[in-house]
């Protein structure tokens, strides 16, 4: 195998790890935003007597929080896919000292216009990359921890919705449209 092929393979693995990190961070942001809005709305709903208007305001806040988190994720994903991919790789692989950015820039040129030294640059970048494995450069903790936070947040949200703890009534009305028993009797009267 030639150095360019091996470097491209290495960079595709690095990009995949950066996407995992971004996806884990996006899911953690989404879950935390939904959990915070749920907690605030669940605390506010009993103070407003579980009215439909208060529940609607809470649901709108949930939608805004979800759209904000998704917009952040899409924006970051597009930045990573466009011209900023080289910058993201350089930040993740600081030992390369600009070699990755130069390699990506030169390899994107038309076949006849790329530098004749591109193979040497690829070999040099690959030699540096092989000194430190990708698992050391882009550590798994960078995507495992946000993913674990997202799972924990979903578990907390589920506990809040399906247990009888203090804010559960407001959370159930917000997410499921269920009024607590005393409030439903008062609403029927």
């Amino acid at each position: 195998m030639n150095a360019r092929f091996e470097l491209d393979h290495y960079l595709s693995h690095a990009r995949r790890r950066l996407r995992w990190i971004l996806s884990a961070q996006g899911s953690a942001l989404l879950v935390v935003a939904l959990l915070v809005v749920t907690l605030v709305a669940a605390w506010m709903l009993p103070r407003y007597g579980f009215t439909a208007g208060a529940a609607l305001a809470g649901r709108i806040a949930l939608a805004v929080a979800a759209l904000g988190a998704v917009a952040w994720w899409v924006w970051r994903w597009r930045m990573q896919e466009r011209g900023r991919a080289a910058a993201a790789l350089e930040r993740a692989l600081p030992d390369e000292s600009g070699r990755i950015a130069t390699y990506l820039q030169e390899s994107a040129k038309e076949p006849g216009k790329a530098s004749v030294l591109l193979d040497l640059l690829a070999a040099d970048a690959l030699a540096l990359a092989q000194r430190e494995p990708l698992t050391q450069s882009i550590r798994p903790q960078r995507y495992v921890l946000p993913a674990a936070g997202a799972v924990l947040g979903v578990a907390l949200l589920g506990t809040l919705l399906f247990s009888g703890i203090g804010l559960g009534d407001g959370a159930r009305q917000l997410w499921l449209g269920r009024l607590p028993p005393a409030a439903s009797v008062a609403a029927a009267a």
Side-chain angles (χ1 to χ4, degrees), residues 74-87:
V74 167
W75 176 71
R76 291 281 311 270
W77 188 274
R78 285 188 175 178
M79 295 300 282
Q80 190 173 2
E81 292 298 314
R82 289 189 188 159
R84 310 246 181 188

Side-chain angles (χ1 to χ4, degrees), residues 6-18 20-21 89 92-94 96 100 128-143:
E6 287 185 48
L7 183 60
D8 285 337
H9 184 71
Y10 176 83
L11 292 177
S12 72
H13 283 295
R15 282 187 197 99
R16 188 176 316 127
R17 282 184 172 267
L18 292 176
W20 289 347
I21 291 169
L89 286 167
L93 309 167
E96 294 291 340
I100 299 296
L128 284 173
Q130 288 173 340
R131 287 185 197 158
E132 185 176 30
L134 201 53
T135 56
Q136 294 297 320
S137 301
I138 305 174
R139 297 186 180 274
Q141 294 91 329
R142 289 186 59 195
Y143 55 87

Side-chain angles (χ1 to χ4, degrees), residues 41 44-45 48-59 173-174:
M44 294 295 289
L45 279 169
Y48 286 96
F50 295 100
T51 61
L56 178 64
R59 289 182 188 118
Q173 185 192 9
L174 180 69

Side-chain angles (χ1 to χ4, degrees), residues 78-147:
R78 285 188 175 178
M79 295 300 282
Q80 190 173 2
E81 292 298 314
R82 289 189 188 159
R84 310 246 181 188
L89 286 167
E90 285 290 337
R91 278 192 307 276
L93 309 167
D95 292 344
E96 294 291 340
S97 302
R99 288 173 182 84
I100 299 296
T102 305
Y103 173 77
L104 291 174
Q105 181 182 5
E106 288 297 316
S107 61
K109 291 181 179 178
E110 293 178 25
K113 296 187 179 187
S115 173
V116 294
L117 301 175
L118 193 57
D119 289 329
L120 291 174
L121 178 62
D124 187 39
L126 186 62
L128 284 173
Q130 288 173 340
R131 287 185 197 158
E132 185 176 30
L134 201 53
T135 56
Q136 294 297 320
S137 301
I138 305 174
R139 297 186 180 274
Q141 294 91 329
R142 289 186 59 195
Y143 55 87
V144 170
L145 292 177

Side-chain angles (χ1 to χ4, degrees), residues 21-40:
I21 291 169
L22 184 58
S23 296
Q25 289 173 342
S27 62
L29 177 65
L30 176 64
V31 170
V32 166
L34 293 177
L35 185 61
V36 167
V37 170
T38 299
L39 288 171
V40 170

